[in-house]
Amino acid sequence: MACCLASCCASATCGLCTSVASGITRKSARIAYCGLFGASLVVSWILRETGAPLLEKLPWINTSDSFTKEWYQQQAVLRVSFGNFLFFAIYALIMIGVKDQNDRRDSWHHGGWGLKMIVWFLLVALMFFVPNVIVSIYGTLSKFGAGAFLLVQVVLLLDATHNWNDSWVEKDEKKWYIALLVISIVCYIATYAFSGILFIWFNPSGHDCGLNVFFIVMPMILAFVFAIIALHPAVNGSLLPASVISVYCAYVCYTGLSSEPHDYVCNGLNKSKAVNASTLILGMLTTVLSVLYSALRAGSSTTFLSPPSSPRSGGREALLEDPEDGKKKGGEAEARPVSYSYSFFHIIFALASMYAAMLLSGWTDSSESASLIDVGWTSVWVKICTGWVTAVLYIWTLIAPLILPDREFY
């Protein structure tokens, strides 16, 4: 029954995606992959809410009387995620070494969507026949994969802020310098104002909340350190990236604190312990937008995503357009290099599948918080550490040219 429900959900989604597969062009392929990822989240959500009673009837899954409803919900999410992960991981392996458009695999990346939907559907369905021990191993590995996905986002954010700053500085006009200064000041004000609000929410009077205070104070200290280092005469820095990273660190701190268990006295948000539809929708929407941004940036970032043969200089291209379209105009006379790493593009989605599984399964926590979306101490520490890693990476981008003067940094 559970497999039947999974098949129905996946096949319905697959049918919808197949109906538009013929209309997918090279320019919209990246959006199509994002749509497929979003479809996997919908399937995970449906099975998480409705699949537990059905999974209990499968003897190869229900191997113990001690399994709770939350455990079966986690199984449904992890198995869909496992199939999604394998789909993108296999594609990542296939696309290794694609450097120009004459490579046959270039067409595999952009076309063949009907076949892709069938393969995706089969992988998701087959995961419901996989032994529990393999799914358990995948759940453990997903914690590291989710952390890697957050790290990729941090690198892309750093790249985006530096590109933003450089593009405005290159204009060399007074109004753009004023705009940089104004935005930087606003970001810093927002950072400290938001931190003050966090003190009210997560440091209620009458309770010893030293850990929360430490979490909140760290972004405030780091924001000050960012400004000092960035404005130092020996460092080729700017205030805009420092202010944007400061806001991001404060936001990550908030997301970490909001993931604290609801019965924790220092969590002053007083959330309901019941998972409602709006929480689920908001969580999945945030994840989809996050993956969408990461995937699209993967097609234009010049930090480390471009293959060796890809041009790294010249004007930046639009996120949703592929310059390879000129292939059809020029015929087969000349092989044009691909504009981004197809393999890394699929790796992002594979890691995002792990990250989404952790959000929907409560980071495979065995406590009561496992029935909630993105709640538990594991989630707290992952997010808090993400903020700290962001700070370390940003500081490194500032001081690395001083420590390693003979190396060229992009």
Side-chain angles (χ1 to χ4, degrees):
M1 291 291 292
C3 294
C4 181
L5 179 60
S7 299
C8 290
C9 294
S11 61
T13 305
C14 183
L16 177 61
C17 295
T18 304
S19 65
V20 298
S22 59
I24 296 175
T25 65
R26 298 178 69 89
K27 292 183 179 180
S28 59
R30 278 179 274 182
I31 295 297
Y33 282 113
C34 292
L36 181 60
F37 177 81
S40 72
L41 290 185
V42 173
V43 173
S44 297
W45 181 9
I46 294 175
L47 293 181
R48 182 185 188 277
E49 298 303 304
T50 63
L54 303 176
L55 290 178
E56 294 178 11
K57 299 179 181 180
L58 300 180
W60 60 87
I61 294 180
N62 186 4
T63 58
S64 174
D65 295 333
S66 62
F67 292 156
T68 62
K69 176 183 177 182
E70 288 74 21
W71 185 86
Y72 288 107
Q73 288 179 325
Q74 291 177 355
Q75 285 292 303
V77 171
L78 288 174
R79 289 171 187 269
V80 174
S81 170
F82 197 6
N84 209 44
F85 168 81
L86 288 178
F87 175 83
F88 287 110
I90 291 172
Y91 249 91
L93 292 175
I94 292 175
M95 295 298 158
I96 291 178
V98 177
K99 297 181 180 180
D100 61 68
Q101 299 166 37
N102 282 353
D103 194 314
R104 180 178 299 180
R105 293 172 294 173
D106 178 79
S107 62
W108 297 354
H109 175 72
H110 293 95
W113 282 96
L115 179 60
K116 288 177 183 177
M117 301 304 169
I118 295 174
V119 172
W120 175 80
F121 163 73
L122 290 176
L123 286 174
V124 171
L126 287 174
M127 291 307 102
F128 286 86
F129 296 93
V130 172
N132 292 341
V133 61
I134 297 179
V135 178
S136 178
I137 294 174
Y138 172 74
T140 301
L141 294 177
S142 291
K143 294 181 180 180
F144 297 96
F149 174 73
L150 293 174
L151 182 60
V152 169
Q153 284 189 304
V154 168
V155 175
L156 293 175
L157 175 63
L158 290 172
D159 181 49
T161 55
H162 283 297
N163 286 338
W164 178 14
N165 181 80
D166 292 343
S167 65
W168 283 15
V169 170
E170 288 174 359
K171 297 180 186 296
D172 196 21
E173 296 181 16
K174 182 178 180 180
K175 63 179 181 180
W176 294 109
Y177 289 117
I178 294 177
L180 286 173
L181 180 60
V182 170
I183 294 176
S184 300
I185 294 175
V186 170
C187 287
Y188 265 105
I189 292 175
T191 298
Y192 286 99
F194 189 47
S195 297
I197 296 175
L198 295 183
F199 272 109
I200 299 175
W201 287 349
F202 299 101
N203 185 32
S205 59
H207 300 287
D208 183 12
C209 301
L211 182 61
N212 281 5
V213 171
F214 172 70
F215 287 159
I216 297 171
V217 169
M218 278 300 294
M220 301 175 68
I221 296 176
L222 289 172
F224 180 75
V225 172
F226 294 160
I228 295 298
I229 297 178
L231 296 178
H232 193 279
V235 177
N236 185 24
S238 177
L239 198 59
L240 178 63
S243 63
V244 173
I245 298 301
S246 298
V247 171
Y248 177 76
C249 288
Y251 169 74
V252 170
C253 178
Y254 160 72
T255 60
L257 293 173
S258 63
S259 294
E260 291 178 338
H262 295 165
D263 57 356
Y264 183 49
V265 294
C266 294
N267 186 346
L269 293 183
N270 296 322
K271 295 180 180 177
S272 170
K273 292 186 178 182
V275 179
N276 51 52
S278 61
T279 302
L280 284 167
I281 293 174
L282 181 60
M284 289 202 300
L285 180 62
T286 302
T287 302
V288 169
L289 292 176
S290 176
V291 173
L292 178 63
Y293 169 79
S294 299
L296 297 181
R297 284 297 303 173
S300 59
S301 175
T302 59
T303 304
F304 60 95
L305 307 183
S306 301
S309 61
S310 178
R312 299 177 64 97
S313 60
R316 290 189 297 271
E317 296 147 2
L319 293 180
L320 302 184
E321 296 182 1
D322 277 327
E324 296 100 290
D325 289 333
K327 173 182 177 181
K328 296 181 180 179
K329 300 178 182 179
E332 299 294 334
E334 182 180 356
R336 296 187 58 185
V338 297
S339 61
Y340 61 97
S341 171
Y342 296 162
S343 182
F344 191 87
F345 177 84
H346 290 287
I347 288 175
I348 286 182
F349 281 102
L351 296 178
S353 299
M354 291 181 162
Y355 177 67
M358 292 298 97
L359 293 184
L360 291 173
S361 66
W363 294 82
T364 62
D365 194 345
S366 59
S367 65
E368 180 184 4
S369 297
S371 62
L372 303 176
I373 294 295
D374 199 21
V375 172
W377 285 109
T378 303
S379 179
V380 172
W381 281 105
V382 167
K383 293 177 180 179
I384 293 297
C385 290
T386 298
W388 295 344
V389 170
T390 301
V392 172
L393 287 177
Y394 174 65
I395 292 175
W396 172 250
T397 63
L398 296 176
I399 65 175
L402 299 178
I403 299 177
L404 303 171
D406 295 332
R407 294 194 60 182
E408 183 177 2
F409 295 89
Y410 293 96

